[in-house]
Amino acid sequence: MLPFSTAFLQKSVLRKSVIAWTLAVSVIASPVLYSSTSDAATAVVAQHEVSASEYSQFLQSKFKISVNNGVTRGQYIQDLATALQLTPEKSEAKFTDVPTSNKWYNAAATLSENDILSGTTVHPNQKLDARTAIYFAVKAAGLKELAYTYPPAKVKTALAKLSIQPSTLSTQAGQELAVAVDSGLLPKSLYSSVQAAHTASPSATFVETVLGQVLKFKGQYKHYLGYTSDDDIYAKLQDAYNTSRLIQAPELQELANKALEENLVTGYNVKDNRYEANFIDSLSLNYGHDDIKHAVQLIGLLRSEGISAKVQFEPKTSAFIYLKEWGEPKSTEDYHVSQIANGNYIANAKEYDLAFEFANTADKNKFQKVILAYAKKDSEDQKGLIYSSWWQPLYYSQTALKDYDVISNNKITQGDYYVQSFSLNDKSATVAAGFKALDPSVKVDRYQFWVDGPFFNYLNGDSK
């Protein structure tokens, strides 16, 4: 059986060095930086401000949220609860205008439990106004306490950006609007919707942007280091890789190691779902490798081909059987081996996935053409490839792509960590049954996805 490990894959064909897999401990940074309206703050220009259409696409793709003009308070409350993935726990909230049988009750109760909705009235059928949307958003984004630190002078300075006099608002409302301005929760593009003379209901664009902004503040929007076109993307990649370590998930790895020893699987990955990009599936794919120099050159290659994409660094740890005839292995900080009963070893090495979200499906489709031309090795001394190109590069998509093959993922999750092992589709049920035999309580999530042809060939036993 062939081991599912790109480390082993390259070792068996190219060299006796092994692949490293990563646990990045660097902070996942959003590329969107909003300038503070405070006189004391340093202005920072947003390099890539998220558009309303992108928020709309995300909300529809992830949550089936479709916002129309003239949204009601009840629908907005429901959309907030849905986007934040909140459900009521106590269901003890009491509202004078929303009984427990009302369709808006669960959402209202959830926001009440999370200190987003206060009071005993909801007014679910009332048209939403822009300022009320922001008052909800401030609390949902976790800015309430910050807002209530604002003294009158600070409120006045912030509200001047909106052409609003503080005297026209309650103290609390003024503080909440002010913090929305200063923090960037309310982008400049939406200022006109909350200005003094504006009384109409907010547009769908306004609501979608506010919902998206709340998700960003909660860390529930997309996660990415930046764009391929950013001047600092190379430094961010280097930092993520250099500060990474092997992932430690002892209980999961103990089970997966048993599967390795019994030849149930030939290799597996460990990942931390807190680093997942949360990209839109139809626009994204993942690319796996071990060498950071390769990643830097890959970004440069995409730029040279006119492909712009968001980039996230997703760490992995790869595990596979290291055969004793390969020689005595040496453990390092990024590569650890432990001997098993038959004299072989289980090796753990650090590697990474680069998650890309492309601007459009055309660029996603173009990715394979670029890889096969400049990052796929076809002969031992081949020239004209980027550094450390592999015989079988690994990249995959959660949605169908022409000229890709379908394989299966066999995934076990525990808390923030998961183990996954890729297999041919006709082997997936056997893998899942084997895990269940080792631990009847385990739940194996099996699903199919699309992978590049060279890696599919590798799973079928083709070394090149």
Side-chain angles (χ1 to χ4, degrees), residues 145-158:
E145 291 78 12
L146 173 60
Y148 303 154
T149 68
Y150 272 49
K154 196 171 181 179
V155 170
K156 182 178 180 180
T157 299

Side-chain angles (χ1 to χ4, degrees), residues 4-7 9-10 19 21 269 285-289 294 298 316 351-354 356 367 371 375-376 390-397 404 407 420 422 449-456 458-459:
F4 169 62
S5 163
T6 46
L9 186 156
Q10 301 307 313
I19 290 176
W21 295 59
N269 308 146
L285 55 76
N286 280 48
Y287 180 94
H289 206 274
H294 181 87
L298 177 61
K316 297 188 297 188
E351 200 176 85
Y352 59 83
D353 280 341
L354 294 183
F356 294 106
F367 182 85
I371 296 301
K376 196 302 187 188
W390 287 351
W391 296 90
Q392 295 103 340
L394 169 60
Y395 49 96
Y396 54 92
S397 167
Y404 283 58
I407 64 172
Q420 63 181 11
F422 297 167
F449 61 104
W450 286 259
V451 71
D452 62 286
F455 186 78
F456 178 78
Y458 161 68
L459 289 180

Side-chain angles (χ1 to χ4, degrees), residues 52 56 65-73 75-76 79 125-129 193 198 200-209:
S56 177
I65 292 175
S66 182
V67 180
N68 298 313
N69 291 329
V71 65
T72 64
R73 285 169 57 102
Q75 187 59 60
Y76 181 67
D79 289 344
N125 299 318
Q126 189 178 99
K127 291 292 185 182
L128 180 71
D129 68 87
S193 297
H198 191 88
S201 298
S203 65
T205 294
F206 177 95
V207 175
E208 289 165 342
T209 301

Side-chain angles (χ1 to χ4, degrees), residues 395-410:
Y395 49 96
Y396 54 92
S397 167
Q398 300 303 324
T399 58
L401 287 171
K402 183 182 178 181
D403 299 325
Y404 283 58
D405 294 284
V406 182
I407 64 172
S408 292
N409 192 9
N410 308 285

Side-chain angles (χ1 to χ4, degrees), residues 18-327:
V18 293
I19 290 176
W21 295 59
T22 65
L23 171 61
V25 296
S26 59
V27 176
I28 298 175
S30 168
V32 183
L33 300 174
Y34 294 94
S35 58
S36 170
T37 57
S38 170
D39 290 342
T42 301
V44 180
V45 177
Q47 189 170 12
H48 296 281
E49 184 169 333
V50 181
S51 67
S53 61
E54 186 174 344
Y55 279 139
S56 177
Q57 186 181 30
F58 183 86
L59 293 169
Q60 177 63 41
S61 174
K62 298 292 184 179
F63 310 112
K64 307 302 180 187
I65 292 175
S66 182
V67 180
N68 298 313
N69 291 329
V71 65
T72 64
R73 285 169 57 102
Q75 187 59 60
Y76 181 67
I77 287 168
Q78 179 65 69
D79 289 344
L80 265 178
T82 300
L84 290 170
Q85 302 177 67
L86 298 174
T87 54
E89 296 180 2
K90 304 173 186 176
S91 299
E92 296 177 355
K94 304 289 185 181
F95 305 109
T96 58
D97 56 350
V98 176
T100 56
S101 59
N102 189 282
K103 66 178 181 178
W104 307 120
Y105 175 79
N106 282 345
T110 297
L111 297 196
S112 178
E113 289 174 9
N114 287 275
D115 296 323
I116 299 169
L117 172 65
S118 58
T120 59
T121 55
V122 178
H123 304 297
N125 299 318
Q126 189 178 99
K127 291 292 185 182
L128 180 71
D129 68 87
R131 292 183 186 178
T132 298
I134 296 302
Y135 302 149
F136 276 102
V138 165
K139 300 178 184 71
L143 298 175
K144 181 177 70 173
E145 291 78 12
L146 173 60
Y148 303 154
T149 68
Y150 272 49
K154 196 171 181 179
V155 170
K156 182 178 180 180
T157 299
L159 294 187
K161 305 291 183 179
L162 305 176
S163 301
I164 294 176
Q165 292 295 325
S167 59
T168 63
L169 301 171
S170 70
T171 298
Q172 178 176 317
Q175 290 172 318
E176 291 174 358
L177 272 183
V179 81
V181 170
D182 280 352
S183 66
L185 178 66
L186 179 67
K188 290 182 179 180
S189 60
L190 301 186
Y191 281 7
S192 61
S193 297
V194 297
Q195 287 173 344
H198 191 88
T199 58
S201 298
S203 65
T205 294
F206 177 95
V207 175
E208 289 165 342
T209 301
V210 171
L211 290 172
Q213 290 288 95
V214 169
L215 290 176
K216 278 180 57 182
F217 273 71
K218 297 294 289 184
Q220 294 174 231
Y221 186 58
K222 302 171 186 177
H223 301 291
Y224 47 104
L225 297 178
Y227 287 69
T228 54
S229 55
D230 292 343
D231 289 339
D232 64 352
I233 190 63
Y234 305 107
K236 288 178 178 178
L237 279 174
Q238 294 279 4
D239 289 344
Y241 183 83
N242 292 339
T243 57
S244 64
R245 298 293 180 267
L246 292 175
I247 297 175
Q248 301 295 326
E251 291 184 29
L252 279 177
Q253 288 168 295
E254 181 179 359
L255 173 62
N257 285 344
K258 289 179 182 177
L260 269 181
E261 290 191 61
E262 296 185 12
N263 293 318
L264 172 64
V265 296
T266 50
Y268 66 85
N269 308 146
V270 189
K271 295 189 74 173
D272 182 337
N273 62 31
R274 289 169 293 187
Y275 289 92
E276 288 191 358
N278 201 26
F279 287 156
I280 294 172
D281 288 344
S282 62
L283 294 175
S284 61
L285 55 76
N286 280 48
Y287 180 94
H289 206 274
D290 71 312
D291 194 295
I292 191 59
K293 183 175 177 180
H294 181 87
V296 169
Q297 292 195 10
L298 177 61
I299 298 300
L301 174 61
L302 294 178
R303 287 169 63 132
S304 73
E305 292 291 321
I307 296 177
S308 178
K310 298 181 183 72
V311 184
Q312 172 63 341
F313 184 92
E314 293 183 357
K316 297 188 297 188
T317 290
S318 171
F320 58 96
I321 295 294
Y322 183 102
L323 301 178
K324 55 186 176 182
E325 56 261 34
W326 293 346

Side-chain angles (χ1 to χ4, degrees), residues 358-405:
F358 302 93
N360 50 61
T361 55
D363 279 352
K364 178 176 177 178
N365 291 331
K366 185 179 178 181
F367 182 85
Q368 171 153 271
K369 181 180 179 181
V370 173
I371 296 301
L372 294 181
Y374 303 110
K376 196 302 187 188
K377 191 168 185 176
D378 291 312
S379 62
E380 192 64 49
D381 299 317
Q382 186 174 347
K383 305 298 183 183
L385 301 177
I386 65 173
Y387 181 80
S388 190
S389 292
W390 287 351
W391 296 90
Q392 295 103 340
L394 169 60
Y395 49 96
Y396 54 92
S397 167
Q398 300 303 324
T399 58
L401 287 171
K402 183 182 178 181
D403 299 325
Y404 283 58
D405 294 284

